[in-house]
């Protein structure tokens, strides 16, 4: 990778347009994503978020405009683009008949990784799936499947990861696990472009936020920059009540801690 490539945006989109027959979804999308950055793409259902991800991952050709990934044009150099990226869709793309480890080894071999078995073991440890490695994925919870799905997407060390609504359908605890993994990816230098409908998710994860509306990116900036678009805040004193999500996580965490203390005491009596 040249010095010019390192300083250029990891993802560069200029004037992308796409229609499905008479239905225009994207009209003039322009967006740059810096390297090692998490960018959240917000938009309502049907705004075109998934369409844009499909174009950037070479699964769909744009009607107009250009897009480059790691300096490679998505239309003229699709093989180079695919070698640089990984895509995790809205639903976990795992084989339920295989074990977690077998899923990872299979993808490793398909991507011609030198030692697929060692790679699988390392990812199982990284994503806290060692204890479930030999179980069929059909027995996994939704959060475990999503963790395995993201682990599979990292085989081959892609520099750019697309996450299309990665926490859809997950419970609060599983969402927190995915959030931690996304932050870890970016901390390791991976560029992440994620689509989401959850505003709290964008606020918790993103370095920059882009809003897709009417076929265009109408806002692109940091959370602080977006807040400055509104009138200055007024100071009000209110009693803050915990959210239901905070209550859930506190109760579940407390129950888990109590169970661990009971097991420890039981083990002490047996010894």
């Amino acid at each position: 990778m040249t010095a010019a490539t390192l300083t250029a945006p990891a993802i560069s989109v200029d004037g992308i347009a796409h229609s499905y027959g008479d239905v225009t979804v994207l009209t003039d999308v322009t967006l740059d994503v810096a390297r090692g950055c998490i960018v959240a793409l917000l938009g309502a259902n049907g705004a075109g978020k998934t369409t844009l991800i499909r174009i950037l991952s070479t699964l769909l050709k744009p009607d107009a405009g250009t897009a480059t990934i790691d300096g490679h044009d998505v239309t003229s150099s699709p093989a180079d683009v695919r070698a640089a990226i990984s895509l995790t869709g809205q639903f976990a793309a795992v084989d339920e008949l295989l074990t977690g480890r077998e899923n990872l080894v299979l993808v490793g071999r398909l991507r011609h990784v030198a030692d697929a078995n060692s790679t699988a073991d390392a990812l199982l440890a990284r994503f806290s799936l060692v204890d479930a490695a030999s179980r069929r994925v059909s027995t996994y919870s939704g959060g475990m499947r999503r963790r395995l799905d993201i682990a599979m997407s990292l085989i081959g060390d892609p520099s750019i990861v697309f996450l299309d609504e990665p926490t859809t359908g997950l419970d609060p605890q599983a969402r927190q696990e995915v959030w931690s993994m996304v932050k870890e990816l970016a901390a390791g230098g991976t560029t992440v472009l994620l689509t989401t409908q959850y505003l709290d998710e964008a606020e918790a994860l993103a370095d920059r936020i882009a809003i897709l509306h009417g076929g265009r990116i109408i806002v692109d900036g940091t959370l602080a920059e977006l807040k400055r678009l509104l009138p200055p805040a007024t100071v009000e004193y209110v009693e803050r009540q915990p959210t239901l999500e905070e209550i859930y996580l506190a109760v579940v965490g407390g129950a888990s801690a109590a169970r661990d203390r009971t097991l420890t005491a039981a083990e002490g009596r047996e010894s």
Side-chain angles (χ1 to χ4, degrees), residues 8-258:
I11 304 170
S12 184
V13 182
D14 185 15
I16 287 291
H18 189 77
S19 299
Y20 295 100
D22 296 331
V23 179
T24 299
V25 179
L26 305 176
T27 58
D28 183 16
V29 176
T30 298
L31 177 69
D32 284 340
V33 178
R35 296 187 180 280
C37 187
I38 301 175
V39 171
L41 184 63
L42 302 181
N45 279 334
K49 303 186 300 296
T50 297
T51 296
L52 181 59
I53 293 294
R54 287 174 60 82
I55 289 172
L56 295 178
S57 56
T58 76
L59 298 176
L60 191 65
K61 289 187 177 181
D63 296 335
T66 60
T68 59
I69 305 293
D70 252 353
H72 305 294
D73 187 276
V74 298
T75 301
S76 61
S77 303
D80 292 324
V81 170
R82 291 171 194 151
I85 69 168
S86 184
L87 169 64
T88 298
Q90 296 180 21
F91 305 100
V94 294
D95 190 324
E96 295 191 350
L97 298 179
L98 300 180
T99 67
R101 191 173 190 279
E102 288 170 341
N103 269 277
L104 291 166
V105 170
L106 174 62
V107 174
R109 290 173 177 168
L110 290 173
R111 300 204 71 161
H112 307 291
V113 172
D115 191 343
N117 290 299
S118 295
T119 299
D121 291 338
L123 287 168
L124 288 167
R126 178 178 176 182
F127 287 89
S128 303
L129 290 169
V130 173
D131 292 341
S134 60
R135 285 168 41 195
R136 285 192 177 186
V137 174
S138 59
T139 68
Y140 282 20
S141 67
M144 292 170 68
R145 292 185 191 204
R146 179 54 81 188
R147 276 157 43 206
L148 177 63
D149 193 27
I150 295 176
M152 290 164 60
S153 73
L154 298 184
I155 293 176
D157 296 321
S159 59
I160 298 166
V161 174
F162 298 119
L163 301 176
D164 191 10
E165 301 194 14
T167 62
T168 297
L170 297 185
D171 62 57
Q173 193 164 356
R175 287 182 73 205
Q176 294 286 343
E177 292 173 359
V178 172
W179 287 6
S180 295
M181 286 184 287
V182 173
K183 291 176 182 177
E184 183 182 325
L185 287 179
T190 303
T191 304
V192 179
L193 177 61
L194 68 91
T195 70
T196 182
Q197 297 183 62
Y198 303 132
L199 303 186
D200 60 331
E201 185 160 275
E203 190 168 350
L205 295 178
D207 299 305
R208 297 186 67 83
I209 298 169
I211 299 178
L212 181 61
H213 182 75
R216 294 180 174 85
I217 300 293
I218 59 172
V219 172
D220 172 21
T222 65
L223 180 60
E225 290 169 343
L226 267 56
K227 286 181 177 179
R228 287 198 290 270
L229 297 175
L230 298 178
T234 58
V235 177
E236 296 181 357
Y237 294 94
V238 297
E239 179 182 350
R240 183 186 179 277
Q241 296 293 328
T243 66
L244 182 56
E245 181 169 314
E246 289 171 337
I247 295 170
Y248 174 87
L249 292 173
V251 170
V252 170
S256 297

